[in-house]
Every structure is written in structure tokens, then in C-alpha cells.
Amino acid sequence: MAPKITVVGSINMDLVTLSEKVPKMGETLLGQEFRTIPGGKGANQAVAAAKLGADVRMVGCVGDDVFGTELLEHLKKQGVDVSHVDQVSGSTGTATILVSEGDNSIIVVPAANHSVTPLLVEKKRDAIAGSDFLLVQLEIPLESVQKAVSIAKENGVKVILNPAPIEELSEELLQQTDYITPNEHELERLLQDRDQASIQDKIIVTKGSDGLTFYQNNEEVNLPSYSVEVKDTTGAGDSFNGGLAVGLSQGMSLQEACRYGNAVAALSTTKLGAQTGMPTKEEVEQFIAVNG
Ligand code: RIB
């Protein structure tokens, strides 16, 4: 049976501009291309997992504007259950993304994502409770993330917390999660006021082209990333989280699930856009068969 995964998180429309150079403050440049592409860390993780064959429910909010309707339709087409996504009055979340010089910079305006309140999450209790895994990130109010995680824990649902964009997190939240997936910068912030030992066994640090690190029985395990021709890294971390959740919920070991997530992330970077670049289960299996 397909693993049941619930994602509580953000849904954005990404406004993506490709440019050869990053403009300096006050400078105007001519860019190469502009596209609107479905995004948001929550929705990205939901789509990544759905494309890998999981039974995925999304809990979140979009606005009652054109972007909101378009994003709902898109999520449905990708096989994500949107019956727990509310369409609220006002604007949908947006992310203005500049893809340039082999990297990207992003400004998120949360808008409707602010409406994912603890009360709304409580109303979606049954969806969370009936899952194998809960995936959360930090583009919705922190109290709502805490609420979702508490519901998961009360019901024996495993939790993956992707602490992005990073903010100060309580001990309670960290202790209730099973896996925490920061990048190196997020890890540094996470460890500012605490000892790494308190959360070490939950941490999987994603390091882009340098692979990832996790700990098993206090031993550091390093996995390399796959080498691919990178077009756009937007959503690579989200692809990894979706892949990790699917791998773990299918009974893979942590190491196997991390390798699987790495393959999903690598493939996602070969195309432009967050959700547009995400691979299917078959594409990932074929890639792993060839690349190990
Ligand atoms: O992780 C990538 C995502 O971050 C983008 O899709 C954008 O919407 C921002 O939320």
C-alpha cells in the first residue's frame, strides 16, 4: 500500500526570473526569461512525494485570487489531495526568485500562508493522525507547526521537520520530531543556543553538491551527492525531503532513504523550477539503477 504522507506548510506561486548576472542595488539589467511556476516549500514537498507514488494530503491555505485557483488545480493534477487546503480571502503566497550565476535568491511574501493558524491545523487533526509521516517546514506560523507536530506525536505519526527558513525553535518542538533536515547555514543557527548532542541523532544536514551528513550510533555518516548538469537548484531541498519521507515510510534504512532523497534532489536540479523539475518514481529508479 502507498505510504500516507501529510504535509502541513506553505503554498506559493514562484515568480522566476532568469538572468546572467545578479543586479547591484539601483541597477537595471535585461534578463533572459520570466515564468510563473508552482512552489512553496510545503507544496513542493507534497508534489515530490506524490510523484514518487505516495498518498499525499496537503494542509495549507491559498488566496481567492488567480494564483490560488491555479495552484489548487496544479496540486490536484500532481496527485495531491487538496481537500484540506482552504481558499481564504486575499492574496496567495508568492516567492520572487532570481536564478543567476549558478544559484538563486528568493523573497517570500507569505500572504495566505499566514492563515494556516493553530486552529486551522486542529481542524485538520484527522488528516494528520491518519498518516505514516508528517512533513513540516517554517513558511507558516511557528505555533501552527508546533500544533501539527503535537498532533502527529499524540498519534504515533513520524515527523520530518525541514527548518527552513530558519528561526528560533523550542526544545519541545525539536524533541517531538524524528528527523530534522537543515542545510549547513540552518544547522549553524539551530546550534547557536544548544549542544549538538541533544539533537544529533535526528539531524540530516544537506550540503548541496557536497552531499549530506547524518549520525548513526554517534558515528558521522557522509553520503556524496550525485553529479548532474544543474539548471536550477530551487526546490532541491524540498525534493530531498519528499524523497526521504517516501523512502523511510517504505521501510528503507536511513542511509538508503537519504540516498533515495539525494537522487530525487539531483534530478530536480536538472530542470528549471521547483515543482516542474521534480522526477517521477520511475525516473528515480532508473537514475539509481544507472548511477548507484
Ligand atoms: O524551497 C524552494 C521554495 O522556497 C520555492 O518554491 C519558494 O516558493 C520558496 O518557498
Side-chain angles (χ1 to χ4, degrees), residues 52 223-226 228 243-244 246-247 250 252 255-267 279-292:
L52 299 171
L223 284 187
S225 65
Y226 289 95
V228 290
L244 177 73
V246 171
Q250 282 175 344
M252 288 183 197
Q255 182 149 345
E256 286 165 345
C258 282
R259 186 168 290 120
Y260 188 72
N262 260 354
V264 181
L267 282 168
T280 60
K281 183 175 187 278
E282 293 69 28
E283 285 168 337
V284 178
E285 282 167 3
Q286 206 179 349
F287 181 80
I288 290 177
V290 173
N291 295 280

Side-chain angles (χ1 to χ4, degrees), residues 10 12-14 38-41 44 95 97 106 108 139 234-235 238 274:
S10 59
N12 296 334
M13 184 59 91
D14 290 353
K41 292 187 194 303
N44 292 348
I97 303 183
I106 306 182
V108 173
E139 283 186 337
T234 311
D238 301 326

Side-chain angles (χ1 to χ4, degrees), residues 14 16 37-49 52 95 97 99 103-106 137 139 162 164 183 206 208 230-243 261-279:
D14 290 353
V16 184
I37 302 178
K41 292 187 194 303
N44 292 348
Q45 295 181 16
V47 169
L52 299 171
I97 303 183
V99 179
D103 212 335
N104 64 49
S105 54
I106 306 182
Q137 325 71 34
E139 283 186 337
N162 175 220
N183 62 22
T206 56
V230 176
K231 175 124 201 230
D232 177 14
T233 57
T234 311
D238 301 326
S239 304
F240 171 78
N241 279 277
N262 260 354
V264 181
L267 282 168
S268 79
T269 65
T270 60
K271 293 188 190 136
L272 177 67
Q275 290 172 37
T276 38
M278 284 165 180

